[in-house]
Amino acid sequence: MRGHDRRGSDDEAMIGYMTQMRDEMTRFVMEYEFAVQELLTKVTILRHEFLNLHHYNPIEHVTSRVKSSPSIVRKAIRKGVPPELAAIREHITDIGGVRITCSFISDTYRVLEALTSQDDVRVIAVKDYIAHPKPNGYKSLHALLEIPVFLSSGRVDVTVELQVRTVAMDFWATTEHKIFYKFDGHVPQRLIDDLTTAAQTAAELDRRMEQLHTEVHGVDARSPGAQTDIDDDVLRYFWEHARNSWD
């Protein structure tokens, strides 16, 4: 009877712990979802500013993702991270991610600078794999950013991984990932050699396209974009006010 009571007590403790952990894990993942949304909002604002004020949009497209709970746990096990949310938050920095694809190499640096210079964004680390590619030819700008999320319980600072790359870099990286996934990491050497050659070709394409763009448009010139629809009467109102203030 005493053993039965102990098992019942253990079961109740386990159920209570699992219920609490489910709530905490849900909140944990939500914090990363909110942080990614915050960063995406910043990117959207940046795109509109470039398009409407500079008449040029350096951002081709944007993708984002937040790892699922099972994926987070699997990575924690692989890395030997203790099964504690505080430890997972500290040691796994790619739970939330945003990837920005740009037309030209200069655009990648421009976009990264625009996002990392904002007052409410703390830059944890930046890795320039464009200037210093990985041995396999991988190129991209990586940044770990701390994004503030404001919940009912207060502010939470959440780490989000940002990647900024050109279209050619993104195409190569996506293809490389698919190949390694298909071969479960054991890729034949001939394919690795082909990937390295393809990375060099992609880099040369980026260089030539940017050179052509600069020759056609100049260093500071931007391609035509959408004009903001502001009525002439509105502009005339501001003009009259400005002229009167000069008198």
Side-chain angles (χ1 to χ4, degrees), residues 93-151:
T93 57
D94 64 344
I95 295 175
V98 172
R99 180 179 299 155
I100 301 174
T101 306
C102 300
S103 300
F104 305 103
I105 295 174
S106 58
D107 289 336
T108 64
Y109 289 99
R110 190 179 189 192
V111 168
L112 180 65
E113 172 64 23
L115 290 172
T116 57
S117 62
Q118 298 188 20
D119 291 342
D120 60 342
V121 174
R122 187 175 80 86
V123 180
I124 299 174
V126 174
K127 293 183 179 179
D128 188 346
Y129 293 120
I130 294 178
H132 307 285
K134 290 185 177 182
N136 65 349
Y138 175 84
K139 286 189 171 186
S140 183
L141 296 177
H142 285 204
L144 288 182
L145 308 178
E146 196 173 75
I147 307 296
V149 173
F150 296 91
L151 304 173

Side-chain angles (χ1 to χ4, degrees), residues 43 46-47 50-51 54-62 99-116 128 130 140-141 162-169 206-207 209-211 213-214 217-223:
V43 175
L46 191 63
R47 292 179 82 165
F50 275 114
L51 191 59
H54 304 293
H55 311 306
Y56 172 75
N57 182 14
I59 300 173
E60 289 290 335
H61 59 266
V62 183
R99 180 179 299 155
I100 301 174
T101 306
C102 300
S103 300
F104 305 103
I105 295 174
S106 58
D107 289 336
T108 64
Y109 289 99
R110 190 179 189 192
V111 168
L112 180 65
E113 172 64 23
L115 290 172
T116 57
D128 188 346
I130 294 178
S140 183
L141 296 177
L162 172 65
Q163 297 178 0
V164 190
R165 58 180 64 154
T166 65
V167 175
M169 294 173 194
D206 271 334
R207 188 191 67 79
M209 293 303 292
E210 183 141 23
Q211 185 179 38
H213 178 73
T214 301
H217 299 288
V219 176
D220 298 321
R222 300 303 177 194
S223 302

Side-chain angles (χ1 to χ4, degrees), residues 17-127:
Y17 175 83
M18 291 178 67
T19 300
Q20 178 182 349
M21 197 63 211
R22 180 180 290 108
D23 293 341
E24 291 182 4
M25 193 67 187
T26 299
R27 183 184 183 87
F28 181 79
V29 174
M30 284 178 59
E31 289 172 359
Y32 285 90
E33 292 174 348
F34 296 151
V36 166
Q37 290 173 17
E38 288 284 346
L39 186 54
L40 289 175
T41 298
K42 292 177 180 295
V43 175
T44 299
I45 292 172
L46 191 63
R47 292 179 82 165
H48 281 293
E49 179 199 348
F50 275 114
L51 191 59
N52 292 303
L53 296 182
H54 304 293
H55 311 306
Y56 172 75
N57 182 14
I59 300 173
E60 289 290 335
H61 59 266
V62 183
T63 58
S64 65
R65 63 106 179 91
V66 175
K67 288 182 182 295
S68 64
S69 298
S71 179
I72 293 171
V73 171
R74 285 194 296 269
K75 184 157 189 178
I77 293 173
R78 287 198 308 270
K79 295 186 67 174
V81 177
E84 302 167 359
L85 294 183
I88 292 173
R89 187 188 297 278
E90 178 182 357
H91 295 288
I92 301 180
T93 57
D94 64 344
I95 295 175
V98 172
R99 180 179 299 155
I100 301 174
T101 306
C102 300
S103 300
F104 305 103
I105 295 174
S106 58
D107 289 336
T108 64
Y109 289 99
R110 190 179 189 192
V111 168
L112 180 65
E113 172 64 23
L115 290 172
T116 57
S117 62
Q118 298 188 20
D119 291 342
D120 60 342
V121 174
R122 187 175 80 86
V123 180
I124 299 174
V126 174
K127 293 183 179 179

